[in-house]
Amino acid sequence: MYWDDLAYFVCLVEKQTLTACAEEMNVQHSTVARRIEHLEQTLGVNLFDRLGKRYALTIEGERLYHQAVEVKKEMVTFQRMAIDQNALQGEVVVSTPPVWANEVLIPALTDCRRQFPDIVVSLRGDVGMSNLHQREADIAIRTHRPTQEDLVIRTLGSSTYRFYAHKDYLNNTMHQQWQLIEFQANARVLAWSQTLIKQYAYTIAFSTNDLYMACHASRQKIGFALLPEFLAHQYPELTAIDPINRVPLTDLETHSSVDNYATAEPLQPEQLDTPSPIPLAQSYPLYLVMHPDVRRSARVRAVADWLIDCSNRLEGFA
């Protein structure tokens, strides 16, 4: 039996169709069909019922699937151990929120290349948690702390969010007509915005699930938005505001609001249904996450140290 057949088996269970599995495995769908047929013949077991284009597990397939997942994990671990752990060369895959990749890591890549010319950093901009057990990424940077107990987790720091608007928008728009740009992708930030709308009768001018779109909409004077400081500071035309009293914040007031809220627990969606004081700024932690197996790799450790150094040098990040 070929061990790779198990990988095709697990993938087909999860994707359900030959086409989706082939795209995931980067092969032709005929290859997937051939590998599954070979596995069934080798085992002498019918693993799937063919229902049109869908492949549904048989009872026997269901029993073997869970064991196949564990075998696949062991094979991934074996592959990791077979890699030269002391070589500062090869690829390191880093899964990170897109805004962090663009604003923090890419500007610092020249320094990384200078230090480690034989390491290829592969950045994958996503907000979902990559499966570190199956090596979808070597390192993940996340805004939520993972719940898996076997992962290595380090807090990089915290990113402060506050309300920002274009200076011309503030000068040319009556404060009674201020409108909010809604960012939907972050549940905590969205709940914060919705509470402001509910308690202070704001209306939404624009809504998006992309942080860059929210930022650039505020730069186009569409309204004001909740943005991380490290992003807003890239654009001097944006200024911090107090949407409760509907006034811009001075530098002193901005610093004071960070002192007041930077160490506070972030508001959770379930806590925002009842009237409560709305903070002008909140800080959210950022986590560096690795599987313990890859931590032994010299190149992964080197990239992890570079990521930590990037966060230490970032303005508006504590």
Side-chain angles (χ1 to χ4, degrees):
M1 182 178 71
Y2 298 116
W3 292 110
D4 281 353
D5 288 349
L6 291 180
Y8 283 91
F9 171 49
V10 172
C11 184
L12 185 56
V13 173
E14 295 171 351
K15 299 299 182 180
Q16 297 189 345
T17 68
L18 291 178
T19 300
C21 181
E23 290 178 355
E24 179 71 18
M25 302 294 287
N26 196 27
V27 297
Q28 297 293 323
H29 73 275
S30 58
T31 300
V32 179
R34 185 172 63 254
R35 299 300 289 267
I36 295 301
E37 182 180 357
H38 180 265
L39 181 61
E40 288 180 325
Q41 291 176 350
T42 300
L43 298 176
V45 174
N46 184 26
L47 299 172
F48 293 98
D49 287 325
R50 280 67 168 174
L51 305 175
K53 293 183 178 181
R54 290 184 62 252
Y55 276 59
L57 277 175
T58 62
I59 295 176
E60 295 79 8
E62 180 73 32
R63 291 171 180 165
L64 292 174
Y65 166 67
H66 301 289
Q67 186 63 37
V69 170
E70 295 303 316
V71 173
K72 183 181 176 182
K73 289 180 181 179
E74 293 298 323
M75 290 304 299
V76 170
T77 300
F78 180 83
Q79 290 172 344
R80 286 175 176 151
M81 294 177 65
I83 297 172
D84 182 3
Q85 299 295 316
N86 296 316
L88 287 174
Q89 60 183 12
E91 182 184 53
V92 177
V93 180
V94 180
S95 172
T96 175
V99 67
W100 182 263
N102 281 282
E103 299 298 328
V104 181
L105 301 185
I106 291 178
L109 272 178
T110 300
D111 179 58
C112 182
R113 293 288 301 156
R114 186 181 302 113
Q115 293 184 63
F116 313 110
D118 296 322
I119 294 178
V120 177
V121 176
S122 176
L123 290 180
R124 297 185 178 176
D126 54 51
V127 294
M129 190 62 186
S130 294
N131 192 328
L132 299 178
H133 291 95
Q134 297 187 21
R135 208 171 178 224
E136 293 176 0
D138 297 301
I139 303 172
I141 296 177
R142 288 295 171 262
T143 56
H144 289 80
R145 184 181 179 89
T147 57
Q148 296 95 324
E149 296 181 357
D150 60 337
L151 296 177
V152 178
I153 303 171
R154 170 169 178 160
T155 302
L156 284 177
S158 59
S159 180
T160 300
Y161 278 69
R162 62 174 68 253
F163 299 91
Y164 286 92
H166 194 290
K167 294 175 182 177
D168 290 346
Y169 179 81
L170 302 178
N171 292 332
N172 300 324
T173 307
M174 297 179 61
H175 66 265
Q176 299 93 334
Q177 297 177 343
W178 285 9
Q179 289 184 293
L180 176 69
I181 296 168
E182 181 182 64
F183 174 53
Q184 303 169 347
N186 185 310
R188 292 175 296 190
V189 172
L190 178 61
W192 187 4
S193 298
Q194 289 176 337
T195 300
L196 182 73
I197 292 171
K198 187 181 300 183
Q199 294 189 25
Y200 292 92
Y202 274 105
T203 58
I204 297 174
F206 175 69
S207 185
T208 178
N209 65 351
D210 185 283
L211 196 57
Y212 274 115
M213 291 185 185
C215 178
H216 294 316
S218 64
R219 294 180 62 217
Q220 293 299 318
K221 311 165 196 175
I222 303 300
F224 66 92
L226 269 168
L227 302 172
E229 284 187 339
F230 70 83
L231 176 59
H233 285 180
Q234 306 294 324
Y235 307 101
E237 66 269 26
L238 297 180
T239 186
I241 66 167
D242 173 356
I244 298 170
N245 296 300
R246 298 180 184 252
V247 294
L249 291 176
T250 66
D251 289 342
L252 180 61
E253 289 170 331
T254 300
H255 178 73
S256 176
S257 69
V258 174
D259 288 342
N260 288 337
Y261 297 106
T263 58
E265 287 294 322
L267 292 177
Q268 300 299 317
E270 63 272 13
Q271 298 172 316
L272 297 172
D273 293 332
T274 58
S276 59
I278 297 177
L280 301 182
Q282 288 195 93
S283 291
Y284 300 116
L286 198 69
Y287 302 100
L288 185 149
V289 188
M290 292 186 292
H291 192 280
D293 288 345
V294 303
R295 184 175 57 170
R296 292 189 285 268
S297 167
R299 67 174 181 272
V300 173
R301 290 199 309 270
V303 172
D305 289 341
W306 170 68
L307 293 170
I308 293 167
D309 184 59
C310 287
S311 67
N312 290 336
R313 291 187 279 114
L314 180 62
E315 181 184 3
F317 196 75

